[in-house]
């Protein structure tokens, strides 16, 4: 039997049962589309998180007070609280050769008032370096001034949304804000850069680090952001920071230093596991589609018993009957995979239009895996009905038509 | 040349062994016209199935042109069915979604004959059957007689030496049945070996040689006018 004839015969018998063929096709298509869309979702999420990290700058190190390796046991009752990070620690880090910028950070919530409006706001206390380290831009005015970080100047920079909410369209530069019991003059407004790692900087108020320490009555820092000169220097910088802090903290390793790479690889591990789990779930839907194909082919074979008997009577060998049935399911699976592929691509394109901020990824491996799995399950599960058809006794099969 | 030597066919029906054929001895020469007659259950259809290589005998030998078919593999038997034997059934067994032309084409597709040659042969046969204007009709658009003629076209499209017909007029009225028998007999006069299974004496009586079966045995083998 010639290849084109095989396809034509298979196509003819599929068209002969449009409802059944259509439903099997649909099941295959849903399976394939779900693999593609779900893979696009996890990969899109991974790209999103990666992008968030990258927006922080690739050379970033974050120094946190306390060591996270000590987690696990019950918290110590007395005297073992980690020594806080201080402004002097941050200034000491600035002297390292491989460090370009250091931004100490203090964070807290305060009540901010202007005119009759009042809002609970997250205040970030930092230095001029914060703007560069966090890759921020000012829309109006200027950012925090340089100079001695110990000076608690009463100046503040507004996040874009906070500016809108407190001032609306009115001029904010030069205005005075009441922050708790102190007064701050607005010297700048940040450009709207959206979210970064879930922290919406548009809602924040940035003040000099010393001013924030006075506001919150603390000498400790929430963290220190350190930017290495080059990505290759992140690892040695990490070592150097550890050493400096150890010397300053009586030889104790009481800080945690997180690098961008470490965070990224953690997220990568999480997302890889998630991708595999989701691919597994989607594979189950393909498995179901395969079983459905088997069912449909079994019914199809039993309904066409007389026809198969006839084919044998006019000279079809068992192998020809087998390949005919397999060609049918292969054609079904291939069409289903194709339809699913188109549906998946359309869904991804639609999602990208609707949510341009979180685009789904189009994964080559997902397309290959989905199509391959659809074909494999479709043909694999048709082996049983195809064998059954091939082994039909032609005499009994011909009698079934009467 | 068909030679059946001591042929036995035993079915298992539950605990019971059913002897469909008992010690059947039959020789049919090339170009003969044989009617196999007998009541239902006499084994005549089983005999036809064995001769048509659709069924294997339990014992005995079946030589087709001197070749012992009982030792052949299934692909070899399929090949013989394709090339040497044509089948016509009472229920026509046309494939309902295919046109008359496509139904006739099926054996040639299985044999791997090129499309151009297939078209030529189908056109030739439809012309011969007087169905040229029905080529694109599906079976449900054809009368019973037309359907059986399409089935005959399918049976002879591979130019087999043997044409086996199982109650070919069983589902037809008198006139259509007469036309079908005339067509089969015309093919016989052109040289094809024709074996017709029937329980209808009027149909069987047309054959020069009549074999009567009863309870799996050949009880009469008569050549000459009835």
């Amino acid at each position: 039997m010639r290849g084109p004839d095989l396809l034509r015969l298979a196509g003819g018998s599929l068209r002969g049962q449009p409802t059944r063929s259509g439903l099997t096709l649909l099941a295959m298509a849903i399976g394939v589309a779900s693999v593609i869309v779900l893979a696009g979702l996890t990969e899109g999420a991974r790209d999103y998180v990666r992008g968030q990290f990258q927006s922080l700058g690739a050379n970033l190190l974050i120094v946190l007070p306390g060591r996270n390796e000590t987690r696990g046991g019950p918290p110590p009752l007395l005297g073992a609280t980690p020594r806080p990070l201080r402004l002097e620690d941050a200034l000491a880090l600035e002297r390292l050769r491989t460090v370009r910028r250091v931004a100490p950070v203090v964070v807290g919530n305060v009540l901010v008032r202007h005119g009759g409006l009042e809002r609970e706001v997250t205040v970030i206390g930092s230095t001029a370096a914060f703007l560069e380290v966090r890759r921020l831009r000012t829309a109006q005015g200027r950012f925090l001034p340089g100079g001695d970080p110990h000076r608690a100047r009463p100046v503040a920079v507004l996040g874009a949304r906070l500016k809108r909410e407190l001032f609306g369209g009115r001029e904010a530069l030069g205005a005075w804000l009441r922050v708790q019991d102190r007064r701050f003059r607005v010297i700048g407004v940040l450009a709207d850069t959206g979210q970064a790692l879930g922290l919406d900087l548009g809602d924040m108020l940035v003040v000099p680090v010393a001013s924030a320490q006075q506001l919150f009555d603390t000498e400790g820092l929430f963290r220190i952001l350190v930017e290495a000169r080059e990505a290759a220097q992140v690892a040695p910088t990490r070592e150097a920071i550890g050493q400096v802090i150890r010397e300053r903290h009586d030889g104790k390793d009481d800080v945690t230093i997180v690098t961008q790479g470490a965070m990224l690889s953690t997220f990568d591990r999480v997302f890889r596991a998630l991708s595999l789990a989701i691919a597994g779930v989607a594979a189950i839907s393909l498995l179901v589609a395969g079983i459905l194909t088997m069912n449909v082919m079994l019914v199809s074979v039993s309904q066409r018993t007389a026809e198969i008997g006839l084919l044998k009577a006019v000279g079809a060998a068992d192998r020809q009957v087998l390949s005919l049935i397999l060609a049918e399911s292969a054609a079904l699976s291939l069409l289903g995979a194709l339809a699913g592929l188109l549906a998946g691509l359309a869904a991804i394109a639609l999602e990208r239009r609707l949510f341009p901020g979180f685009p789904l990824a189009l994964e080559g491996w997902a397309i290959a895996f989905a199509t391959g799995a659809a074909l494999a399950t479709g043909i694999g599960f048709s082996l049983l009905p195809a064998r059954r058809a091939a082994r039909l006794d032609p005499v009994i099969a011909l009698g079934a038509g009467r | 040349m068909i030679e059946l030597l001591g042929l036995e066919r035993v079915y298992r029906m539950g605990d019971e062994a059913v002897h469909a054929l008992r010690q059947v001895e039959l020789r049919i020469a090339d170009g003969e016209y044989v009617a196999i007659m007998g009541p239902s259950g006499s084994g005549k259809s089983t005999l036809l199935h064995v001769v048509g290589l659709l069924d294997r005998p339990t014992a005995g030998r079946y030589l087709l042109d001197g070749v012992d078919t009982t030792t052949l593999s299934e692909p070899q038997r399929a090949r013989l069915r394709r090339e040497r034997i044509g089948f016509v059934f009472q229920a026509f067994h046309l494939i309902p979604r295919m046109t008359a032309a496509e139904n006739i084409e099926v054996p040639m597709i299985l044999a791997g004959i090129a499309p151009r040659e297939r078209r030529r042969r189908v056109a030739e046969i439809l012309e011969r059957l007087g169905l040229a204007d029905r080529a694109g009709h599906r079976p449900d658009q054809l009368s019973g007689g037309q359907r059986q003629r399409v089935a005959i076209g399918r049976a002879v499209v591979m130019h087999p030496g043997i044409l086996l017909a199982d109650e070919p007029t069983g589902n037809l009225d008198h006139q259509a049945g007469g036309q079908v028998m005339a067509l089969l007999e015309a093919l016989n006069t052109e040289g094809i070996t024709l074996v017709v299974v029937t329980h209808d004496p009027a149909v069987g009586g047309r054959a020069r040689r009549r074999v009567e079966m009863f309870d799996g045995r050949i009880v009469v083998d008569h050549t000459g006018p009835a």
Side-chain angles (χ1 to χ4, degrees), chain A residues 2 16 27 36 57-58 71 77 79 98 107 128 153 167 176 185 187 189 193 205 210 216 232 237 304 342 380 392:
Chain A
R2 294 156 163 258
I36 291 171
R71 269 185 296 171
L77 288 175
T98 57
V107 175
R153 298 187 216 224
F167 293 91
W176 287 91
R185 184 192 271 283
I187 57 168
V189 177
T193 50
L205 188 70
F216 305 129
T237 304
R304 286 190 293 155
L342 289 180
L392 273 177

Side-chain angles (χ1 to χ4, degrees), chain A residues 241-261:
Chain A
I241 291 172
Q243 183 139 14
V244 168
I245 300 290
R246 199 154 44 241
E247 281 166 13
R248 298 181 53 81
H249 288 199
D250 309 326
K252 283 191 186 124
D253 265 328
D254 57 0
V255 295
T256 300
I257 304 165
V258 181
T259 62
Q260 171 107 291

Side-chain angles (χ1 to χ4, degrees), chain A residues 314-335:
Chain A
V314 299
D318 291 1
R319 281 185 57 113
Q320 286 180 311
V321 174
L322 188 83
S323 51
L324 195 62
I325 303 291
L326 287 183
E328 281 180 31
S329 55
L332 260 189
S333 312
L334 201 64
L335 285 177

